[in-house]
Amino acid sequence: MLYIAADHGGYPLKEELKEFLAKEGYETVDLGADELDLADDYPDYALKLAEQVVQDENAGGILICGTGQGMCMAANKVAGIRAVVVYNEFTAQDAADHLNANVICLGGRVTDAETAKKAVKIWLDTEFSEDERHIRRLRKAEEMEE
Ligand code: RB5
């Protein structure tokens, strides 16, 4: 399952990405915000989405705030989350094949919609490399959760 959520900094981009993903044939579950609310807080959405993603190893999540940074910081507090900020095609590729990221975080105020669409598509279409060095590095990072 593919989850998506955003605070007010990412709300317009979330709406645009949802439409794009539907056209591309992806089913997404929108965990909010349901409307533009300038007073909402990114950790609330990051937690909601992270809790869903860790329940299913095949699940993925897209979090969007103004920069992607707050969402990323908050989501990574949840054990099992590998969230990274993605802001172009290169970081999207790396997120998938090197980092096996189960959550990508976008910045609605820093990445234009066309770039975001390309980046999301790359992340979704790219498999984790399974290279020993990447598995080793991810394991080391995961051990820090213990
Ligand atoms: C909200 O104003 C903004 O700080 C938030 O969307 C995000 O950019 C944090 O990283």
Side-chain angles (χ1 to χ4, degrees), residues 89-102:
E89 293 167 63
F90 185 86
T91 53
Q93 179 79 28
D94 194 79
D97 69 359
H98 287 196
L99 300 170
N100 199 17
N102 51 9

Side-chain angles (χ1 to χ4, degrees), residues 6-9 11 33 35-45 109:
D7 75 349
H8 56 281
Y11 181 80
E35 60 186 4
L36 186 64
D37 173 4
L38 295 181
D40 66 7
D41 301 326
Y42 60 82
D44 297 333
Y45 301 106
R109 294 174 180 155

Side-chain angles (χ1 to χ4, degrees), residues 42-72:
Y42 60 82
D44 297 333
Y45 301 106
L47 178 62
K48 204 168 168 185
L49 183 139
E51 284 179 339
Q52 291 297 318
V53 169
V54 291
Q55 280 176 32
D56 171 5
E57 74 172 283
N58 296 314
I62 301 168
L63 284 170
I64 315 164
C65 58
T67 60
Q69 296 181 113
M71 285 291 197
C72 191

